[in-house]
Amino acid sequence: MSIKEIEETIVEEFGYYDDWMGKYEFIIELGKSLPLIAEKYKTEENIIKGCQSRVWLHAEAEGDKIVFTADSDAIITKGLISLLIRVLSHQTPDEIINADLRFIDRIGLKEHLSPTRSNGLVSMIKQMKLYALALKTKML
Amino acid sequence: MTTVAQHKIVLDVEHIRKDFPILSRKVNGKHLVYFDNAATSQKPQPVIDATNKYYSFENANIHRGVHTLSQEATSAYEVVREKVRAFINADKSYEIIFTKGTTDSINLVASTFGRTHVGEGDEVLISAMEHHSNIVPWQMLCEEKKAKLKVIPINENGELLMDEYKKLLSSKTKIVAVAHISNSLGTINPVKEIIALAHEKNIPVLIDGAQAIHHEKVDVQYLNCDFYVFSAHKMYGPTGVGVLYGKEELLNAMPPYQGGGDMIKTVTFEKTTYNELPHKFEAGTPNIAGGIAFGAAIDYINSLGVENISAYEHELTSYALQQLNNVPGIKFIGKAKERASVISFLLDNIHPYDAGVILDKMGIAVRTGHHCTQPLMDRFRIPGTVRASFSFYNTKEEVDTLVKGLHKVIDMFK
Ligand SMILES: Cc1ncc(COP(=O)(O)O)c(C=O)c1O
């Protein structure tokens, strides 16, 4: 599926919840089920700075696509990353770099995009795009 | 805690809450429960009005003009210096230096007193529970001077080990800098004893009073501290204003901090002579509006009475400790016998960040994270805590709301 299509699916899923509680319960569920990053990648280098919780992110090229794995010690953060991974993992570098990720706003989680939230969602997106850029140059 | 608890509580909190417009705000559709007072306190109407009035009708630069507005502004600003003096019972009003805040005050002392008194091989003594503001300026000084930063350890309850402290005081120690009250643990440190012990060896002491000044009666002459520092914004006043109290003799011997207007007596290109205290340390146009509003904050605190505030907050804290104690899986970080209205805790293995996000959704403002005390968090081997800190405008009902909120949090993450 394309990034846009996945975003649409997520927006639809979140449409089932009309209050914050339901939404967050869903995010927490996602957080609990996020496939963990391989232990060997939970290194100091893979930690994303600027988060109140610790976030590890690893990227790998698989053919012409990029695969992300991640983990965090906070569950809400983990749930948010799992959404990002669902959208951005297994996509090409160009698609990742150009993704506008409007779905975050559309599912009512825009507040997490504020740079002061210190949950690192912004740093996470930036880091994923940087990985895409770096792996793109390698693939060329 | 025992002695103050017997003080009859005479605060009409319901009435007091009306003085703080922000307290009637809704957050995420819920009534705001503001429990982040240790970060900054809310402002009562008289403080807001004083700022407004100053800019509307009184604005002029101070210490410079002969015109009426300038003279009025100068006296309004200088009256506040006297109010601060009386509030902390300093001997002279020129021992009160206005700064930008606690951080600025500590940097001032480290850069002036520190630079002239600390040399290679010397030591600066702080404690394990200091705020980064009372660590980093000393660390920078020590790096520059090839001096050593020494740390008074604490026990599991978050209390200073006084025997270790005594052992750490030596002829190499050039200054001791400790918090009066810990912003992460709520511990009230025995500062009078700390000061007396240092003085036996002629070592000056700086007390970081950022968390104490609005909760406890502070008398700098009784404490006999050499420096006492605090911020107006934690005592119901504006941001960007703070105080450095210093003993006259020490302040006089210190070189100036920043150069500029107001701090000089005469300037030629060859030589500048410096102004007298307090102006020697107050270069440039200060935060005049902030200073004047700070005066309104002190008046406000005085109108309630620091003893009343202290007694009310102690009682509310005891109540909160009792209620929180029933929350399953709660673990308090900081269990000092002498404690102020700051409660840090963890819920089983729920990350403080997760708890903070959900509480916020319920309109409850707590602080999560390391509270600018990373070495202290490392000491307890935790990433951070959830911290609830109370003020005199908080109520038992709000504590109950927090407890309910925590039950919800536990439910959601189970
Ligand atoms: C104990 C302590 N020291 C210093 C500070 C720094 O105060 P400010 O940021 O107002 O300079 C704080 C504020 O959080 C504090 O709690």
Side-chain angles (χ1 to χ4, degrees), chain B residues 22-43:
Chain B
I22 206 169
L23 295 180
S24 46
R25 230 199 98 158
K26 287 203 167 169
V27 169
N28 293 319
K30 308 281 177 355
H31 286 293
L32 167 68
V33 172
Y34 187 75
F35 281 164
D36 195 16
N37 293 286
T40 197
S41 61
Q42 298 303 348
K43 321 301 172 200

Side-chain angles (χ1 to χ4, degrees), chain B residues 38-39 101-104 106 131 133 179 181 183 208 210-211 231 233-234:
Chain B
T102 307
T103 306
D104 192 31
I106 297 172
H131 188 280
S133 293
I181 293 179
N183 68 306
D208 172 356
Q211 294 296 339
S231 304
H233 71 91
K234 294 191 202 272

Side-chain angles (χ1 to χ4, degrees), chain B residues 401-414:
Chain B
T401 306
L402 171 66
V403 170
K404 265 195 227 123
L406 292 174
H407 279 284
K408 183 78 216 164
V409 168
I410 292 167
D411 223 36
M412 287 182 80
F413 288 97
K414 159 171 89 191

Side-chain angles (χ1 to χ4, degrees), chain B residues 87-341:
Chain B
F87 191 70
I88 62 172
N89 192 33
D91 190 22
K92 320 251 171 37
S93 65
Y94 53 75
E95 291 175 320
I96 307 300
I97 313 294
F98 286 127
T99 64
K100 292 188 298 211
T102 307
T103 306
D104 192 31
S105 299
I106 297 172
N107 275 283
L108 191 163
V109 177
S111 302
T112 58
F113 179 87
R115 281 234 183 86
T116 43
H117 287 79
V118 178
E120 191 168 340
D122 285 341
E123 293 173 1
V124 171
L125 187 52
I126 62 171
S127 91
M129 63 176 90
E130 296 313 311
H131 188 280
H132 294 163
S133 293
N134 201 25
I135 303 175
V136 185
W138 304 114
Q139 212 162 34
M140 288 163 69
L141 172 72
C142 289
E143 263 168 36
E144 181 187 318
K145 296 289 183 178
K146 299 197 174 67
K148 265 212 188 98
L149 190 66
K150 292 281 190 172
V151 182
I152 312 164
I154 55 174
N155 62 22
E156 273 306 302
N157 288 338
E159 295 163 315
L160 290 180
L161 297 175
M162 291 301 280
D163 287 338
E164 296 300 316
Y165 169 56
K166 284 176 212 162
K167 284 187 228 155
L168 282 164
L169 288 169
S170 79
S171 58
K172 289 188 203 153
T173 316
K174 292 299 175 254
I175 186 163
V176 174
V178 290
H180 193 160
I181 293 179
S182 155
N183 68 306
S184 300
L185 307 172
T187 312
I188 304 178
N189 287 320
V191 284
K192 186 157 170 67
E193 193 187 342
I194 289 171
I195 294 160
L197 287 164
H199 284 177
E200 280 174 18
K201 303 208 155 119
N202 289 318
I203 304 163
V205 180
L206 176 144
I207 300 296
D208 172 356
Q211 294 296 339
I213 187 72
H214 49 305
H215 291 307
E216 308 286 322
K217 175 77 199 141
V218 170
D219 180 331
V220 291
Q221 292 190 76
Y222 167 76
L223 291 176
N224 199 17
C225 51
D226 301 279
F227 301 105
Y228 197 97
V229 300
F230 52 97
S231 304
H233 71 91
K234 294 191 202 272
M235 48 192 299
Y236 319 102
T239 53
V241 181
V243 169
L244 162 64
Y245 157 80
K247 284 184 180 162
E248 175 180 6
E249 206 188 318
L250 286 163
L251 290 176
N252 268 328
M254 280 152 53
Y257 180 38
Q258 293 173 324
D262 255 9
M263 56 77 73
I264 51 91
K265 206 176 258 164
T266 60
V267 178
T268 67
F269 285 116
E270 287 70 41
K271 175 88 191 139
T272 293
T273 55
Y274 303 122
N275 206 336
E276 281 150 15
L277 290 177
H279 308 294
K280 175 173 126 182
F281 293 109
E282 296 180 356
T285 301
N287 183 350
I288 306 168
I292 290 171
F294 181 25
I298 293 177
D299 291 343
Y300 189 84
I301 293 175
N302 284 335
S303 75
L304 302 179
V306 181
E307 281 86 359
N308 293 329
I309 291 174
S310 189
Y312 180 83
E313 289 174 352
H314 274 100
E315 176 171 318
L316 188 61
T317 307
S318 303
Y319 176 78
L321 282 168
Q322 266 168 26
Q323 299 305 310
L324 288 169
N325 207 23
N326 298 328
V327 174
I330 198 162
K331 180 170 176 244
F332 294 107
I333 306 296
K335 288 183 265 192
K337 260 191 236 85
E338 296 294 328
R339 67 178 304 159
S341 54

Side-chain angles (χ1 to χ4, degrees), chain A residues 12-99:
Chain A
E12 210 173 289
E13 285 169 10
F14 270 85
Y16 297 128
Y17 307 102
D18 45 13
D19 65 343
W20 70 269
M21 192 99 79
K23 266 184 206 164
Y24 275 86
E25 272 165 357
F26 184 45
I27 293 170
I28 291 165
E29 276 318 305
L30 293 173
K32 286 179 181 161
S33 54
L34 176 71
L36 295 181
I37 191 171
E39 207 53 42
K40 66 175 172 186
Y41 295 129
K42 275 172 99 166
T43 58
E44 203 55 38
E45 272 158 53
N46 276 341
I47 286 191
I48 298 178
K49 297 277 179 317
C51 309
Q52 239 191 54
S53 47
R54 288 194 294 174
V55 174
W56 296 267
L57 177 68
H58 174 72
E60 233 169 50
E62 213 180 273
D64 63 344
K65 306 263 167 75
I66 294 177
V67 177
F68 291 106
T69 49
D71 198 5
S72 169
D73 51 0
I75 301 210
I76 291 178
T77 313
K78 232 166 126 172
L80 296 171
I81 316 172
S82 86
L83 288 173
L84 285 180
I85 288 188
R86 210 168 130 196
V87 173
L88 295 179
S89 195
H90 294 97
Q91 306 289 347
T92 65
D94 278 329
E95 282 162 337
I96 296 168
I97 294 162
N98 295 322

